[in-house]
Amino acid sequence: MSGSSQPLRIVIVGGVAGGATAAARARRANAQAEIILLEKGPAVSFANCGLPYHLGGEITERKKLLVATPELFDKRFQVDVRTTSEVIAIDRAARTVTVVNLQTQATYQLHYDRLILATGSEPLRPDFWTSGVRNVFQLWNLNDLDAVLAMMRERQPQTAAVIGAGFIGLEVVEQLHRLGIDVSLIERNPHVLKPLDADMAAPIAEEIKKQGVQLYLNAGVEKMITAGDRAVALQLQDGRRVESDIVIVGIGVRPRVELAHAAGLAIGKQGGVTVNAWMQTSDPLIYAVGDMTELPHGVLESPQRIPLAGSANRGGRIAGTHAATGQAANMGVVLGTSIVRVFNLVAASTGINEQTCQSAGFDYRTAIIQAADHATYYPNAHEMILKILYAPDSGRLLGAQIVGESGVDKRIDILATTLHFRGTIHDLAQLDLAYAPPFGAAKDPVNMIAFVAQNDLAEHPTLLPAAAALAGWQVVDVRTAAETQALPLAGAKHIPIDELSLRWQELDPSQPTVVVCHSGKRAHIGACWLSGHGFAKVRNLTGGMSMRRHALSH
Ligand code: FAD
């Protein structure tokens, strides 16, 4: 492959998710190749996704985070791992990289036949972060984790502020709270977890507050108030002040593409390195994988930068195989499928949300249901909220979001799989899924939401968005008296569902009519009844009052 008697030399830059996977896979694919893995940090193949859980003590031993050591790479894979080795330049013409040994500062050139870049991304550092303060951190690698833990041992913080309510921020909040620390969470956006729509994020915000965490939404940090080498509080743009003994910043990441950029490799519109289906950059001898790349999105079609571990590992496998053998399967698409636990709730999403549909100009409809994770007559059933977005013409699934206590992981993966195969709500309705009372329902929640969406498209009857303005509609509230008292719906005509077949003549069939209940289930029955009795235009408020409350809460 190298065109000489020398073995093919594969050099990999970055030794964690994508890089370590590429190294191991390249060895399995090519027993003769020389494989060199360069990592600027002190460790390779550590579990960055596990960092928050060691912080809070849920993962008790730090060494469990070291998934594979340089010694293991050496013994098992004959991979030459060089830690504290930073690559500072690529010379494409000479096919060399310049490496700095960060311990000795010695610099050397290393020839490559194939080069795999897996330099990941870098956490954003906000302008308000005063340099020199010792109690403000990011949680990105083992050094960060060790620094936070050392500070916590030394100062025993009683209060903490976490800036950024993304995945890492929420995981850190949960873990600091677990340690008995009084936590504040500050988020600039109007809701937590950007991949979720506001209505689906609202139950997560409620859970955070229920646990005693102070949640600041729509809250930009203006400045850090310091005393000596410590931040003591954060000044918010609206004038509020959040006192804190320790601050963790998790406001997002940017791809580390400086090396690739300086080497003249093509960079895409999203700021990630452009790659083909085998992870080759614009220079076919150089591959790029993981957070630093942008990859074709399964719904948007265009390349997107989605910094998640799954695609980094898949990309590493493909680049490792292709670099070692000259052929490999295709990378395929990304969907941004993700999941996070937030105290007693789990939030997950795949595909695109309403905001992305709107900015991408997609015509879409939504369905929302509440369903139990398994048969309700079997003990410990928990409700989850499912939301799907689909195309009105074809019924093609565009995205899905779920919030619940259990069974969320299984459903989001079913929905992601359907998305991967460009499936429709009709495919979802047909899925033949495993069922026994402890595990699911004979009509699984993903079947159920597809039935709702099919009804919607078949106008049997059509759904109205949970937050829709109800002026001009004849609103029929089919909940019980106790439910309407607990959460009133102004202007609605109250006819409990079990009285509707006797009292529907009290309504005006010529008026556009929307039927409302708690979740949309009884409203569907009511709406079918009214449609069947000649009402001109009948709608069901999707997700019912429980989702309307969330949708209007922000
Ligand atoms: P990384 O795994 O970040 O590896 C890049 C490596 O390259 C780094 O070690 C860096 O030191 C090295 N490097 C950079 N430049 C150079 C250079 N010039 N020379 C030598 N070495 C260099 N994703 C999920 O899907 N689920 C989760 O639950 C999840 N949780 C996370 C929690 C935390 C705290 C963090 C930090 C990330 C989490 N992620 C999660 C994201 C996931 O870890 C990343 O998407 C994934 O690690 C990206 O892989 P990568 O190979 O592109 O980069």
Side-chain angles (χ1 to χ4, degrees), residues 128-424:
F128 59 76
W129 187 334
T130 316
S131 56
V133 284
R134 289 185 53 235
N135 59 339
V136 181
F137 304 93
Q138 283 159 333
L139 188 62
W140 197 246
N141 53 36
L142 286 169
N143 286 344
D144 296 334
L145 176 70
D146 293 340
V148 179
L149 287 173
M151 192 272 170
M152 300 227 301
R153 272 193 300 273
E154 181 194 323
R155 306 297 293 228
Q156 308 280 321
Q158 303 298 303
T159 55
V162 176
I163 305 174
F167 300 115
I168 297 174
L170 291 180
E171 287 170 354
V172 169
V173 164
E174 191 197 62
Q175 294 300 311
L176 292 176
H177 180 271
R178 187 173 189 271
L179 296 172
I181 296 173
D182 185 6
V183 188
S184 299
L185 173 61
I186 303 167
E187 168 57 53
R188 193 178 52 179
N189 289 321
H191 67 80
V192 301
L193 283 175
K194 218 168 161 200
L196 297 187
D197 290 320
D199 51 358
M200 295 297 283
I204 299 290
E206 273 180 13
E207 173 68 10
I208 291 168
K209 289 191 260 187
K210 203 165 99 189
Q211 297 294 331
V213 172
Q214 289 86 48
L215 177 62
Y216 297 82
L217 293 174
N218 288 307
V221 176
E222 192 164 84
K223 67 173 179 194
M224 234 171 230
I225 297 161
T226 56
D229 63 357
R230 317 185 60 72
V232 290
L234 298 163
Q235 174 86 49
L236 304 186
Q237 279 157 358
D238 62 11
R240 283 179 293 176
R241 190 180 145 116
V242 181
E243 312 289 330
S244 179
D245 298 332
I246 180 172
V247 178
I248 311 271
V249 181
I251 58 167
V253 296
R254 63 168 192 81
R256 265 201 205 113
V257 293
E258 292 79 1
L259 267 182
H261 188 255
L265 300 176
I267 307 287
K269 284 193 186 129
Q270 304 277 321
V273 175
T274 304
V275 289
N276 67 12
W278 304 289
M279 312 309 290
Q280 285 168 299
T281 65
S282 51
D283 178 339
L285 299 182
I286 304 181
Y287 299 77
V289 302
D291 287 7
M292 66 182 299
T293 59
E294 44 185 72
L295 296 167
H297 191 278
V299 178
L300 293 169
E301 311 289 348
S302 57
Q304 299 292 318
R305 210 175 50 71
I306 299 182
L308 287 172
S311 44
N313 278 273
R314 284 193 289 124
R317 177 181 166 84
I318 286 166
T321 314
H322 202 273
T325 66
Q327 52 195 352
N330 283 0
M331 173 63 187
V333 296
V334 289
L335 294 164
T337 309
S338 59
I339 188 160
V340 64
R341 186 189 69 198
V342 186
F343 298 106
N344 296 314
L345 289 182
V346 179
S349 68
T350 185
I352 59 175
N353 63 14
E354 288 203 52
Q355 201 185 358
T356 310
C357 276
Q358 286 158 16
S359 49
F362 278 52
D363 202 4
Y364 71 96
R365 294 192 60 80
T366 62
I368 304 174
I369 63 162
Q370 287 174 46
D373 59 339
H374 63 243
T376 47
Y377 58 80
Y378 185 84
N380 298 322
H382 297 291
E383 289 264 298
M384 67 178 89
I385 308 170
L386 277 89
K387 175 174 184 174
I388 59 170
L389 292 80
Y390 46 97
D393 48 358
S394 59
R396 185 180 166 198
L397 192 64
L398 302 172
Q401 300 160 44
I402 312 181
V403 173
E405 284 177 57
S406 52
V408 171
D409 49 349
K410 156 167 148 169
R411 273 58 185 223
I412 204 68
D413 282 344
I414 295 171
L415 290 156
T417 308
T418 306
L419 271 180
H420 177 84
F421 291 111
R422 304 173 71 85
T424 64

Side-chain angles (χ1 to χ4, degrees), residues 425-466:
I425 56 165
H426 311 297
D427 294 312
L428 264 186
Q430 290 174 1
L431 287 182
D432 192 17
L433 302 172
Y435 162 63
F439 304 106
K443 284 184 289 230
D444 191 87
V446 297
N447 296 134
M448 205 64 202
I449 198 161
F451 300 155
V452 171
Q454 282 182 317
N455 285 336
D456 176 42
L457 294 190
E459 301 192 9
H460 176 66
T462 305
L463 298 168
L464 202 63

Side-chain angles (χ1 to χ4, degrees), residues 14 16-18 39-40 48-49 85 87 118-120 140 256 290-291 307-309 312:
V16 187
E39 165 57 52
K40 72 175 182 181
N48 29 18
C49 307
S85 298
V87 172
T119 54
W140 197 246
R256 265 201 205 113
D291 287 7
L308 287 172

